[in-house]
Amino acid sequence: MRRVRAIVQRRRILFLLIGRDLKVRYSDSALGYVWTVLDPLLMGLVYWFVFDVVFNRGKDIAGDPYLLYLLLAMMPFQWASGCISGSTRALAGEARLIRSVDVPRETWILRMIGSKFVEYVFTLPVLLIFIFAYGQDIHWQIVFFPIAMAMQWTLLLGIAMTLAPVAVLVPDTERLMRVTNRVLLYMCPVIYGAFAIFDNENIPGFMKELYSWNPFTTIFTLYRLCVFPDDELPFLVAVRGGISCLVILAFGVYIFRKLEPAVLKEI
């Protein structure tokens, strides 16, 4: 609790660091913040071309637009992917400031996640454009959207607090996370829905059980419910997703506190 109070008391520093990150990231770019929209949009269009034009699978079984279905999970996945990669440099890349500025070291983790979150928020107008372009309705399940955001914040904070100190002590962590991000794209319901796993009779039961504990399964499905309310999420899976987020956060806090002295010596 002492660390939390210290972070809250120095929240102005956190906000300044997030703003600095965003300014530095786009200072040399002609398009600036537009890239935060173009990146997921272009990736979505590539998948649209492959599934809609090449394979003629632009709509799912219910006749819903696949591109919109994809973007609702692809954009938060970009946030998650950026945080997983960025966490490996969150401490090592700011060694001088960490040694000279009197703020809780968790601030550097929150700064990285916060700046990626702001980029994700900037992409939300793109979702609205596609929702209106396809003539889709926004349902009452939109109340789950902020819940999904809160769960993703919790999950990413736990992952980042685990990876950041490990990456300082084990340099190969950064390369490993690049591969992990590619695997996550297919192991999480991004280009397909969770029902594709749970309703598939060819997938063994124990694999479905493991998949139900994947917190991204719950998070991405909750994002989609606001536009696709028929994208079913079993209550047990939702509960498991929430538990997984909290367990990963607790594990991340433990690892961060345990490795913090060694990290400070290393940097």
Side-chain angles (χ1 to χ4, degrees):
M1 290 301 295
R2 182 175 58 84
R3 294 282 188 106
V4 175
R5 286 196 297 268
I7 293 172
V8 172
Q9 291 170 356
R10 294 173 172 83
R11 60 188 179 276
R12 179 175 171 80
I13 296 176
L14 174 60
F15 295 148
L16 289 173
L17 290 172
I18 292 174
R20 183 208 66 169
D21 266 14
L22 294 171
K23 290 179 181 178
V24 170
R25 192 168 301 159
Y26 300 106
S27 59
D28 298 329
S29 172
L31 295 178
Y33 294 113
V34 176
W35 282 113
T36 63
V37 176
L38 285 179
D39 188 22
L41 179 59
L42 292 175
M43 182 173 292
L45 289 174
V46 168
Y47 281 113
W48 166 80
F49 177 78
V50 172
F51 288 97
D52 190 14
V53 178
V54 177
F55 293 108
N56 195 27
R57 294 291 300 276
K59 295 182 180 293
D60 62 15
I61 297 175
D64 295 318
Y66 176 71
L67 178 57
L68 179 57
Y69 189 83
L70 175 67
L71 289 177
L72 279 163
M74 179 64 71
M75 289 179 176
F77 176 79
Q78 291 291 99
W79 172 25
S81 176
C83 287
I84 292 173
S85 298
S87 63
T88 60
R89 302 182 297 274
L91 297 179
E94 301 287 353
R96 185 177 300 177
L97 281 174
I98 291 174
R99 289 195 298 263
S100 59
V101 179
D102 183 23
V103 295
R105 278 86 192 192
E106 292 88 346
T107 301
W108 306 99
I109 308 295
L110 291 167
R111 178 240 357 157
M112 182 271 301
I113 299 175
S115 63
K116 299 293 184 183
F117 173 70
V118 172
E119 292 181 347
Y120 168 60
V121 171
F122 285 162
T123 67
L124 294 181
V126 174
L127 287 178
L128 290 176
I129 291 172
F130 276 97
I131 289 172
F132 294 135
Y134 280 111
Q136 298 291 114
D137 296 323
I138 296 178
H139 302 272
W140 68 265
Q141 285 88 343
I142 195 173
V143 298
F144 294 121
F145 207 92
I147 295 176
M149 283 185 174
M151 290 181 64
Q152 189 163 346
W153 256 99
T154 303
L155 175 62
L156 294 179
L157 183 57
I159 292 174
M161 291 186 73
T162 301
L163 293 177
V166 170
V168 173
L169 304 175
V170 184
D172 285 342
T173 303
E174 183 174 357
R175 296 182 177 86
L176 178 61
M177 288 305 104
R178 293 174 189 168
V179 178
T180 301
N181 273 333
R182 298 191 190 103
V183 173
L184 280 176
L185 177 63
Y186 299 100
M187 293 299 294
C188 300
V190 179
I191 61 176
Y192 56 87
F195 63 86
I197 299 296
F198 296 129
D199 295 345
N200 195 325
E201 297 180 356
N202 297 321
I203 297 178
F206 77 92
M207 293 185 66
K208 294 180 181 179
E209 191 77 9
L210 290 174
Y211 195 80
S212 69
W213 285 98
N214 180 353
F216 284 117
T217 300
T218 297
I219 292 169
F220 293 153
T221 304
L222 289 179
Y223 280 124
R224 283 172 166 152
L225 284 177
C226 64
V227 180
F228 303 100
D230 294 331
D231 199 25
E232 297 180 0
L233 180 67
F235 178 74
L236 181 59
V237 176
V239 171
R240 288 176 175 177
I243 293 174
S244 297
C245 289
L246 294 175
V247 169
I248 291 172
L249 175 60
F251 180 76
V253 171
Y254 171 78
I255 293 295
F256 191 88
R257 300 281 178 83
K258 194 78 173 176
L259 298 181
E260 186 176 10
V263 169
L264 293 177
K265 291 180 180 179
E266 186 68 22
I267 63 176

